[in-house]
Amino acid sequence: MKYWVAIDIGASGGRHILGYLKDGKIITEEVYRFPNSLIEKDGRLCWDVDEIFSHILRGLARCKEIGKIPTSIGIDTWGVDFILLDKERKRIGDVVGYRDSRTKGMDEEVYSIIPENELYKRTGIQKQIFNTIYQLMAVKKTSLKSLENAERLLMIPEYFNYMLTGKYLSEYTNATTTQLINCETGDWDEEIIDKLGLPKKIFGRLHMPGTLVGELTKEVQERVGFNAKVVLVGSHDTASAVMAVPTKKEGAVYISSGTWSLMGTEITKADNSDESRLMNFTNEGGYDRRFRYLKNIMGLWMIQSVRKEIASDMDFGEICEKASKAEISSLVDCNDIRFLAPKSMTEEIKKSCLESGQKVPEGIAETASVIYNSLAECYIRALREIEERRGEEYKGEIYVVGGGSKAEYLNELLAKKSGHIVKAGPTEATAIGNLLALMIADGAVAGLFEARKMIKNSFEINTYLP
């Protein structure tokens, strides 16, 4: 039996998912799971990449323990965050996370050099204050020596690939989240890099998913008990998740639902118009040089935060059930930056309702109901804007993939409010998309559409009617 392993790491945890093919179906098995979160260090919110890497090794060692050694390994994570390496290939400084406040005001610093509309025209990437471009401006303003001493910039999954193989390759889909890739050429925009005064040498040549990085180093082989290839996948987690949308239809609308909700469609040419910019759409790189034309919506981060604050003894299914029975009509704007990293999500939601003259939610049921209903409204608004930009009314199903596909009440609300059939699943879409890229690279699956056809036959897909 031939195995592949997807290492899928998110902002709240990671998992090793083994995959193999049997009777024309994709079979998956979770072999290891670990927690992850930002930690406060010297006044900054940082990632403990050494701890994450130790879990990567433990998960791989677990594959050896159960006798299911993978042929190849793929790693995906969130986007925008990065690591700088010096001439000796050592990390420079702490690995600051995207929720840190260091980017405050950095958008104006960037726009004083490159106007916002010109930046969008060149990159097609929506303004989000945590994008790599603003993080790099913050480094330049507060720690210029770090940039001067840097030899290479690696996005988070690229760094872990390097730690496994001793080789570093820059991957296209994650690179687009930097807001430094030209959407016409599909390569680093050297004019932007020059204008911002960033060192060109730190930006490596881009490679597409399916490219071989290398084999495990001898040291890693000794620690995990086997050798395997490391292969680039859609290393931005949403790129992998979108690969697992179970449809053969071009232009289907999807929601990659997790900590963030990414709602959009696939297109072959970026929409970098000013109208698109004003609607805050982004054109992130996807598999096979497609564009993920989507909107970032705050997502289940809000529910995750509220659960941690006031309902840690409940699982999300129970919270969903309670929310469905709550009688409250208050709504908040899930995309408001106030919900990005508040001291208390629960209190921030209450304040927002109070300020807008709506009923203030009390308890987990009402608070969750406000969040779920608000998310559904955000989804509907995004759908109408997609229709406007694409110039046609969307009449197909809406596909919800990722962990949020299990949020039954939210799926029911979306179907009811949109008038569309909602297809929810697969749950582990990101890991499955990661595996698909490995299988395609290995020649075990013919291509993207063949892979999506297999998903429909391999995983549970739930249907919600309007």
Side-chain angles (χ1 to χ4, degrees):
M1 185 71 70
K2 195 171 190 177
Y3 298 98
W4 299 267
V5 67
I7 303 175
D8 169 33
I9 308 170
S12 58
R15 59 212 59 81
H16 291 55
I17 305 290
L18 271 172
Y20 61 96
L21 298 174
K22 184 178 181 181
D23 300 327
K25 293 183 178 181
I26 303 163
I27 311 297
T28 60
E29 176 186 350
E30 181 182 302
V31 295
Y32 188 77
R33 183 175 285 261
F34 60 93
N36 184 37
S37 64
L38 286 163
I39 57 173
E40 190 166 336
K41 186 176 181 183
D42 299 326
R44 292 290 180 208
L45 293 175
C46 301
W47 300 109
D48 188 343
V49 292
D50 292 326
E51 178 69 8
I52 296 172
F53 187 65
S54 72
H55 282 295
I56 289 174
L57 294 179
R58 286 178 215 164
L60 291 176
R62 178 63 183 153
C63 295
K64 170 69 172 179
E65 290 168 10
I66 63 176
K68 296 179 179 179
I69 296 173
T71 298
S72 55
I73 300 161
I75 301 179
D76 67 79
T77 75
W78 62 96
V80 306
D81 288 343
F82 61 90
I83 289 166
L84 295 174
L85 297 181
D86 64 17
K87 289 181 180 178
E88 297 179 350
R89 297 191 171 192
K90 293 181 179 179
R91 286 201 314 263
I92 299 174
D94 295 321
V95 185
V96 180
Y98 63 89
R99 291 191 190 274
D100 187 77
S101 61
R102 68 175 175 170
T103 54
K104 185 178 181 181
M106 292 302 111
D107 50 346
E108 295 306 320
E109 293 286 345
V110 169
Y111 301 151
S112 68
I113 301 169
I114 305 170
E116 183 177 0
N117 59 343
E118 180 185 339
L119 185 61
Y120 188 84
K121 185 69 177 174
R122 298 185 72 91
T123 67
I125 298 298
Q126 74 180 127
K127 174 188 175 179
Q128 294 189 108
I129 192 60
F130 48 72
N131 286 350
T132 314
I133 190 172
Y134 308 114
Q135 293 197 46
L136 283 169
M137 181 57 76
V139 173
K140 184 180 176 184
K141 287 288 181 181
T142 61
S143 182
L144 182 58
K145 279 195 173 182
S146 294
L147 275 181
E148 292 174 342
N149 293 333
E151 284 292 313
R152 188 64 181 260
L153 176 146
L154 295 177
M155 306 302 281
I156 299 293
E158 297 163 4
Y159 175 72
F160 292 135
N161 288 340
Y162 161 66
M163 293 292 287
L164 288 173
T165 66
K167 299 177 181 179
Y168 40 57
L169 271 68
S170 295
E171 190 272 322
Y172 168 72
T173 69
N174 215 324
T176 62
T177 72
T178 65
Q179 210 172 350
L180 292 167
I181 301 296
N182 188 294
C183 63
E184 301 290 343
T185 66
D187 207 346
W188 299 108
D189 193 313
E190 293 191 0
E191 187 174 335
I192 293 175
I193 291 168
D194 277 340
K195 285 184 175 180
L196 294 177
L198 302 174
K200 285 183 186 178
K201 65 180 180 179
I202 68 175
F203 302 102
R205 184 165 71 89
L206 296 181
H207 299 268
M208 300 302 291
T211 303
L212 174 68
V213 180
E215 295 187 349
L216 300 178
T217 65
K218 288 184 179 179
E219 181 183 353
V220 171
Q221 289 179 44
E222 289 172 2
R223 294 185 66 176
V224 304
F226 64 87
N227 191 17
K229 299 178 294 183
V230 176
V231 175
L232 291 181
V233 295
S235 68
H236 184 215
D237 49 14
T238 312
S240 279
V242 171
M243 282 190 73
V245 174
T247 178
K248 294 184 290 181
K249 180 182 176 182
E250 289 279 10
V253 170
Y254 59 80
I255 302 172
S256 176
S257 181
T259 300
W260 289 89
S261 290
L262 299 312
M263 185 172 189
T265 186
E266 283 183 309
I267 57 178
T268 55
K269 180 176 172 55
D271 181 352
N272 57 347
S273 66
D274 213 43
E275 292 81 5
S276 179
R277 175 182 70 83
L278 292 171
M279 287 184 176
N280 213 26
F281 276 101
T282 198
N283 296 267
E284 293 176 349
Y287 186 82
D288 198 24
R289 288 204 178 272
R290 294 163 176 268
F291 289 96
R292 292 173 282 129
Y293 188 64
L294 56 82
K295 298 198 85 165
N296 281 274
I297 300 168
M298 195 66 73
L300 297 180
W301 157 250
M302 298 175 75
I303 280 287
Q304 293 164 359
S305 299
V306 166
R307 175 181 177 270
K308 185 177 180 181
E309 291 166 5
I310 63 173
S312 58
D313 59 330
M314 293 185 191
D315 62 34
F316 289 110
E318 188 178 356
I319 291 172
C320 251
E321 178 67 21
K322 287 183 176 295
S324 69
K325 296 176 181 177
E327 295 183 2
I328 184 169
S329 59
S330 302
L331 298 171
V332 298
D333 179 3
C334 297
N335 293 323
D336 193 323
I337 198 169
R338 70 192 297 169
F339 300 120
L340 179 63
K343 289 184 179 178
S344 168
M345 184 67 74
T346 308
E347 291 304 312
E348 204 63 43
I349 290 167
K350 287 182 176 181
K351 286 179 189 175
S352 179
C353 290
L354 183 64
E355 290 165 8
S356 58
Q358 302 178 91
K359 180 182 177 183
V360 175
E362 295 293 338
I364 186 60
E366 289 190 350
T367 306
S369 182
V370 169
I371 293 171
Y372 285 130
N373 276 276
S374 298
L375 280 172
E377 291 293 333
C378 278
Y379 295 162
I380 303 305
R381 192 159 58 246
L383 176 61
R384 301 297 172 241
E385 290 174 342
I386 290 170
E387 290 177 330
E388 183 178 337
R389 290 307 312 144
R390 304 312 300 156
E392 59 184 65
E393 183 180 353
Y394 184 71
K395 296 180 180 179
E397 298 93 346
I398 297 174
Y399 294 88
V400 182
V401 299
S405 65
K406 294 188 293 185
E408 291 194 3
Y409 180 49
L410 182 54
N411 296 332
E412 289 167 0
L413 285 171
L414 178 57
K416 180 181 176 181
K417 289 174 180 287
S418 70
H420 290 270
I421 294 171
V422 172
K423 298 277 190 177
T427 301
E428 292 284 2
T430 303
I432 292 166
N434 181 322
L435 288 168
L436 291 175
L438 296 176
M439 292 174 179
I440 293 170
D442 239 358
V445 176
L448 180 60
F449 285 103
E450 179 64 26
R452 285 176 168 166
K453 194 191 308 179
M454 294 175 70
I455 289 172
K456 296 178 73 173
N457 299 325
S458 303
F459 301 98
E460 182 179 5
I461 312 293
N462 294 311
T463 300
Y464 298 84
L465 302 175

